[in-house]
Amino acid sequence: MTQLNSFSVPDFHLPFGNSKHPLAARANADATSWAVRHELVTDAVEQFAGIGFGHLAGRVSGEVPYETVALLAEWMAWSFVLDDQHDHLIRTGELEAWRPVVGAITDHLETGGTPEASGTPDTQGARRVRQTQGARAAQGAGERRNPLVSGFVDVCDRILAGMSEGTAARYRAHVPLMLHSLDQEAGNRGTVGRPSVDEYILMRRHSSQMLPMMDMVEAGLGIDLPQRIHDLPEFKALIASAVDVISWGNDVFSLPKEYSCGDNNNLVSLIASWEGCSLADGVRAVENRIQARIEDFLTGERLLVETLDARGETDGAIRADVARCVRSYEDWIIGADLWQRYECTRYSDERFAAGLESAYTRPDLVWVA
């Protein structure tokens, strides 16, 4: 195990402002309590809370009700445990234990609550009935499920209940891609499975876990863009550039841990490996790539507006939702950076930087039922 010393994260010069929900700290505490209730963590709870998922949720949610921020914080808390558990199984050579967990999650995603496209009193009442029935079913099933699965059922049902049909469809599509990307990361460990830089970039857009969370924020902000807007190449390119900036920045923050434990799922170490350069040169290369992607994002904002004009998309509500989506992506870019620098202890924790498992990781979690 080789530890990376004397490492500093560069300033990525992100040209956006950011505000933070005033109840972000409360969301962090409540999401921590939620994770403890679901037995996702049982030890070193304060260290787990130090990840600051509530602070990140507060930076990207905008002006929304507290319940919306808290729900996103709970999902983030769950996703960190998910990522750590997958890493634990890779370390211990027990990845076969991952299959039943992923199977249960994807099965529930396919058969769980169904959101309504509209919010009429009748559909709201029917939704409440379904939520109650689903909660009872989940409670009974939770007695037979791994905590990672029962936690997902709890948070997923509440997420879907607040989504439009179109947003829910995207969320349902993004979560399996996220889970699959974790398997891809497992296959990339070691020199034999080392991906190319381009392959890694495509995979990282899903392993970042950003897309389902962006769906959640979109729903929380009341944005319901038609699928034809999401299908525009210019819209897809804008999202890709935002996710790349966030993911590559995170690779710099997490480099000490991944380098120390020999995990090559990191853009810096991959560039250093393929180009035969030092890690310091790899960091500078990623910094340059991030600045180029920021320019792509800014150009993409203009191209998207021009495309909407050329297509005759003059509906005021749609144009307002597009503009709010773009601002949300800006919040994600700068908010994630500020969170990692100032509000998250995960990347500065000595165990993490040394390539060790976090003290709050439950070694037996996937075996508990």
Side-chain angles (χ1 to χ4, degrees), residues 202-223:
L202 293 177
M203 181 205 70
R204 190 71 173 97
R205 291 174 185 167
H206 296 291
S207 68
S208 69
Q209 306 191 32
M210 291 296 306
L211 294 176
M213 292 190 289
M214 285 179 164
D215 296 332
M216 292 180 64
V217 171
E218 182 178 329
L221 291 170
I223 297 170

Side-chain angles (χ1 to χ4, degrees), residues 323-340:
R324 188 63 190 89
C325 255
V326 171
R327 289 203 310 277
S328 176
Y329 302 151
E330 293 175 355
D331 285 342
W332 272 109
I333 291 171
I334 186 63
D337 183 81
L338 293 173
W339 161 72
Q340 290 172 119

Side-chain angles (χ1 to χ4, degrees), residues 57-344:
R59 287 198 175 277
V60 301
S61 290
E63 297 179 1
V64 296
Y66 171 73
E67 292 74 17
T68 302
V69 180
L71 181 60
L72 178 58
E74 290 174 5
W75 170 268
M76 289 177 172
W78 175 85
S79 70
F80 276 109
V81 175
L82 177 85
D83 189 62
D84 287 342
Q85 284 297 313
H86 187 260
D87 188 59
H88 170 74
L89 295 176
I90 292 174
R91 293 169 184 264
T92 58
E94 299 174 299
L95 268 177
E96 283 306 310
W98 188 247
R99 310 301 172 210
V101 173
V102 171
I105 289 172
T106 53
D107 284 348
H108 183 78
L109 194 65
E110 294 172 358
T111 61
T114 304
E116 301 292 344
S118 60
T120 63
D122 287 343
T123 59
Q124 288 175 351
R127 184 187 304 172
R128 280 192 293 271
V129 170
R130 280 194 299 275
Q131 285 179 266
T132 301
Q133 293 171 338
R136 289 171 181 165
Q139 183 178 5
E143 297 173 0
R144 304 183 302 274
R145 282 177 169 148
N146 169 273
L148 201 56
V149 177
S150 61
F152 173 81
V153 169
D154 175 60
V155 73
C156 176
D157 285 355
R158 287 181 288 131
I159 289 168
L160 288 171
M163 285 181 167
S164 69
E165 186 175 1
T167 306
R170 287 187 289 275
Y171 170 84
R172 291 181 191 273
H174 286 149
V175 173
L177 291 171
M178 176 193 82
L179 295 171
H180 176 64
S181 71
L182 296 180
D183 291 333
Q184 289 179 289
E185 283 194 334
N188 290 343
R189 295 290 183 99
T191 56
V192 176
R194 181 181 58 168
S196 70
V197 170
D198 288 342
E199 289 170 340
Y200 174 78
I201 287 171
L202 293 177
M203 181 205 70
R204 190 71 173 97
R205 291 174 185 167
H206 296 291
S207 68
S208 69
Q209 306 191 32
M210 291 296 306
L211 294 176
M213 292 190 289
M214 285 179 164
D215 296 332
M216 292 180 64
V217 171
E218 182 178 329
L221 291 170
I223 297 170
D224 187 18
L225 287 171
Q227 189 59 41
R228 70 176 184 275
I229 302 297
H230 281 274
D231 288 340
L232 290 174
E234 293 81 5
F235 197 92
K236 292 180 178 180
L238 191 69
I239 295 175
S241 60
V243 173
D244 285 349
V245 169
I246 298 164
S247 302
W248 302 351
N250 178 257
D251 279 4
V252 177
F253 280 98
S254 63
L255 176 62
K257 179 258 189 183
E258 284 148 9
Y259 173 78
S260 296
C261 68
D263 182 358
N264 59 17
N265 287 291
N266 186 290
L267 186 57
V268 174
S269 57
L270 277 176
I271 288 176
S273 176
W274 282 110
E275 297 185 4
C277 64
S278 68
L279 285 175
D281 287 340
V283 170
R284 283 190 287 271
V286 171
E287 182 181 4
N288 290 336
R289 283 175 177 250
I290 287 174
Q291 298 308 146
R293 285 306 263 158
I294 285 290
E295 292 303 316
D296 290 342
F297 181 85
L298 296 173
T299 300
E301 288 183 339
R302 296 191 294 271
L303 289 176
L304 180 57
V305 171
E306 293 172 2
T307 298
L308 295 175
D309 290 340
R311 292 173 60 90
E313 291 282 359
T314 59
D315 185 286
I318 290 178
R319 297 298 291 257
D321 276 356
V322 168
R324 188 63 190 89
C325 255
V326 171
R327 289 203 310 277
S328 176
Y329 302 151
E330 293 175 355
D331 285 342
W332 272 109
I333 291 171
I334 186 63
D337 183 81
L338 293 173
W339 161 72
Q340 290 172 119
R341 288 182 191 276
Y342 305 117
E343 296 159 346
C344 175

Side-chain angles (χ1 to χ4, degrees), residues 342-360:
Y342 305 117
E343 296 159 346
C344 175
T345 62
R346 180 177 175 87
Y347 306 112
S348 59
D349 180 87
E350 290 183 0
R351 288 181 60 90
F352 189 89
L356 302 171
E357 290 185 334
S358 299
Y360 49 76

